[in-house]
Amino acid sequence: MRVKSQMYDQITLEKFGFKTRQSGAHVSRTIMLDELYALFEQVGIDALPAAYQAAVLEQNCLAKRSGRTRQLTARHLVELYGLDPANPVHAGLRFFWSRDKAARPQLALLAAVARDNLLRILLPTILAKPLETPVLREQLEERVETLWPKRFSPATRKSLAQNINSSLTKAGHLSGRVSKIRQQLKPAIGAAAYAFYLAWLQGSRGELLLQSAYCQALDVGNDELLELAAQASARGWMVMRRVDNVVDVDFPALAPVAAKAMQAGQDAAFNRKLPYEQG
């Protein structure tokens, strides 16, 4: 059995809900886990984007003090999580969120990795640190400057590093309130399923699933990831088939959303062609 990967173009990835531009919410925010809990308690799983906006801006379900703060909060939550059932990244988040409560902090982080390019690029720097060793904000700031020379001011580099470390503490990769210590993450079943889903959605197949940024973010070996995926498959959350070292996954409950997004991506790509390029 051969399982081929299919790499999608940027337009299709954006329709799927991935963010590819060199920016991200972590410049000014963490994964906003408390706000996400409260918002998902208030707004149903199939709610349209307008319902999320109304909950934050009109009903003030997140108890923000001013209209300006509510607007900023709503904007950052959309940036991190999509908040649209037609967005496959968001649809997967809510699907697994409703099925595995223990996975929720890890699910939020994985969605943020899919939608925050800065977080996605910088995460391996943290994961490369040995367990039980300090993770210094200044080291991450230095990495930011190395990757993007003179792009960010010192204050922005500090904010970005602090926010990423805070998000990783919420997810379980780090511990400590001020001084951060690298910890071994214990992935939940739903988080592993979502990681495979995001990799599958992005076009990875076979062994490339395990090499994806999402599976790597769960910080455990391939055997443990595959065991967690097998448990998710047994629960009906996904389908995993394995023959020797070849792995194939599918997500029947979420595939229709992905199919609609793919068609939207193909339509958008076609419409961007110049008239003489259209056949």
Side-chain angles (χ1 to χ4, degrees):
M1 179 175 66
R2 298 182 63 190
V3 182
K4 295 183 179 180
S5 294
Q6 179 177 355
M7 296 297 106
Y8 297 117
D9 57 49
Q10 184 173 343
I11 295 173
T12 300
L13 290 175
E14 290 173 354
K15 293 297 182 181
F16 282 157
F18 296 98
K19 295 286 189 180
T20 58
R21 52 190 169 84
Q22 295 289 323
S23 62
H26 275 80
V27 169
S28 56
R29 291 290 189 276
T30 68
I31 55 173
M32 304 175 73
L33 193 57
D34 291 340
E35 288 90 343
L36 194 64
Y37 272 103
L39 185 60
F40 283 1
E41 283 293 319
Q42 181 76 15
V43 182
I45 190 170
D46 296 321
L48 297 177
Y52 287 101
Q53 293 294 313
V56 177
L57 300 177
E58 299 170 18
Q59 301 162 24
N60 195 19
C61 71
L62 303 181
K64 300 301 179 180
R65 294 183 177 180
S66 69
R68 174 62 176 165
T69 303
R70 291 197 291 272
Q71 289 175 348
L72 288 173
T73 300
R75 188 184 77 188
H76 288 302
L77 285 167
V78 170
E79 189 173 0
L80 282 167
Y81 301 114
L83 305 186
D84 183 348
N87 178 319
V89 170
H90 171 78
L93 171 63
R94 295 229 55 172
F95 179 86
F96 294 110
W97 185 279
S98 67
R99 286 162 174 79
D100 191 348
K101 291 183 178 181
R104 288 175 176 179
Q106 297 165 16
L107 294 172
L109 181 72
L110 289 169
V113 169
R115 293 181 58 79
D116 186 328
N117 204 40
L118 298 179
L119 174 63
R120 183 166 59 252
I121 292 172
L122 291 168
L123 181 57
T125 300
I126 305 296
L127 299 184
K129 299 290 184 182
L131 297 176
E132 304 299 333
T133 61
V135 175
L136 302 179
R137 186 202 75 234
E138 292 81 2
Q139 292 174 338
L140 192 57
E141 290 182 54
E142 291 174 4
R143 180 61 175 161
V144 171
E145 182 62 17
T146 298
L147 290 170
W148 302 285
K150 299 183 180 180
R151 176 180 171 184
F152 300 106
S153 69
T156 301
R157 288 199 302 271
K158 180 179 179 180
S159 175
L160 175 59
Q162 285 179 328
N163 288 332
I164 287 178
N165 283 350
S166 178
S167 290
L168 294 179
T169 302
K170 294 175 187 293
H173 293 84
L174 304 178
S175 64
R177 297 192 61 178
V178 179
S179 299
K180 303 296 185 181
I181 304 296
R182 177 80 163 85
Q183 298 294 315
Q184 177 63 63
L185 187 71
K186 297 180 179 179
I189 297 172
Y194 189 44
F196 275 99
Y197 168 74
L198 290 171
W200 170 85
L201 188 64
Q202 205 167 48
S204 297
R205 300 293 184 266
E207 64 182 15
L208 292 182
L209 291 162
L210 295 163
Q211 298 171 18
S212 69
Y214 314 104
C215 285
Q216 293 296 308
L218 294 183
D219 197 28
V220 293
N222 291 349
D223 288 342
E224 185 168 347
L225 284 170
L226 290 170
E227 173 57 30
L228 290 167
Q231 293 181 47
S233 184
R235 296 183 183 198
W237 299 350
M238 61 181 287
V239 174
M240 186 180 80
R241 295 174 288 270
R242 185 178 183 185
V243 178
D244 296 327
N245 293 324
V246 180
V247 178
D248 183 24
V249 300
D250 201 359
F251 298 86
L254 294 163
V257 180
K260 289 182 180 179
M262 179 178 288
Q263 185 60 55
Q266 292 172 346
D267 292 345
F270 180 81
N271 290 333
R272 286 190 187 185
K273 291 182 180 179
L274 295 174
Y276 63 80
E277 294 177 316
Q278 295 183 4

